[in-house]
């Protein structure tokens, strides 16, 4: 597991630095199967699959707990069979290191289910 | 509150009838601020706003409980400040009366928070 999970989100101010896109590949290597959707705002996204609805709801709640603990809130798309997460930093309209930290912690939560 | 909330979803088979689109307006009148996104698959959608994250997570869980009770599972998009619901019937690739029933029940849950 990536040591990103040892980090904690820092307060993200409007002048906080975006992650330089040249660093995306190295950061993605520290995660499991995440990708970056490069649209008007870059987002770090991953879909997790579940064999039953209860497990997907449980995972959603654990991610919500993480969001509150880190004071950083992703888009969570809960459907039967899957949960899709999208992490990005609203204030800087793109990817902050916080997003990679939260992605790594999301994987850790999934792997501990 | 609509009497749709007194109904229960019926088992939706692959040959179940789609709601005729001429009936959309009357059914939408029984709901509060829902709209129909007419794409390749028509979906019944609504965004609910929340002043805090805990309430949005609580609402998400109540909708998940409804989904299990009705054996009909929407797309739930949970973000800080909002929960967007999308109801449609996968087997018939469109809107069944079940979707309007679940939309009405979603409103009832929201209004009881």
């Amino acid at each position: 597991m990536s040591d990103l999970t040892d980090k904690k989100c820092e307060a993200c101010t409007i002048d906080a630095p975006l992650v330089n896109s040249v660093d995306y590949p190295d950061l993605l290597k520290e995660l499991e199967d995440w990708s970056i959707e490069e649209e008007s705002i870059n987002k770090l996204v991953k879909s997790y699959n579940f064999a039953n609805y209860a497990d997907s709801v449980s995972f959603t709640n654990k991610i919500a707990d993480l969001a509150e603990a880190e004071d950083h809130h992703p888009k969570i798309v809960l459907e039967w069979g899957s949960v899709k997460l999208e992490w990005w930093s609203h204030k800087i309209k793109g990817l902050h290191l916080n997003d990679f930290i939260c992605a790594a912690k999301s994987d850790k939560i999934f792997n501990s289910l």
Side-chain angles (χ1 to χ4, degrees), chain A:
Chain A
M1 178 53 58
S2 156
D3 63 3
L4 283 171
T5 59
D6 296 330
K7 300 184 192 298
K8 185 146 176 52
C9 288
E10 58 188 49
C12 183
T13 55
I14 202 163
D15 57 351
L18 286 164
V19 170
N20 192 316
S21 60
V22 300
D23 294 326
Y24 287 169
D26 283 345
L27 284 164
L28 286 173
K29 277 183 204 157
E30 296 192 49
L31 302 175
E32 300 171 31
D33 302 321
W34 286 79
S35 60
I36 292 173
E37 283 188 358
E38 303 195 43
E39 298 178 355
S40 59
I41 295 178
N42 290 356
K43 300 178 180 181
L44 191 54
V45 302
K46 179 173 176 178
S47 288
Y48 298 86
N49 295 322
F50 295 88
N52 66 70
Y53 196 62
D55 285 349
S56 62
V57 174
S58 173
F59 179 65
T60 295
N61 277 289
K62 289 177 191 293
I63 296 298
D65 290 342
L66 170 67
E68 288 286 72
E70 299 286 353
D71 195 19
H72 191 43
H73 301 80
K75 179 187 277 192
I76 306 175
V77 183
L78 168 62
E79 294 186 88
W80 199 97
S82 73
V83 175
K84 182 182 181 189
L85 300 183
E86 300 183 13
W87 290 102
W88 78 99
S89 295
H90 300 69
K91 282 187 184 163
I92 59 173
K93 296 184 171 59
L95 292 174
H96 186 277
L97 184 60
N98 288 347
D99 299 300
F100 291 88
I101 292 169
C102 287
K105 291 187 177 185
S106 302
D107 282 341
K108 189 172 183 179
I109 288 168
F110 181 75
N111 291 330
S112 70
L113 289 179

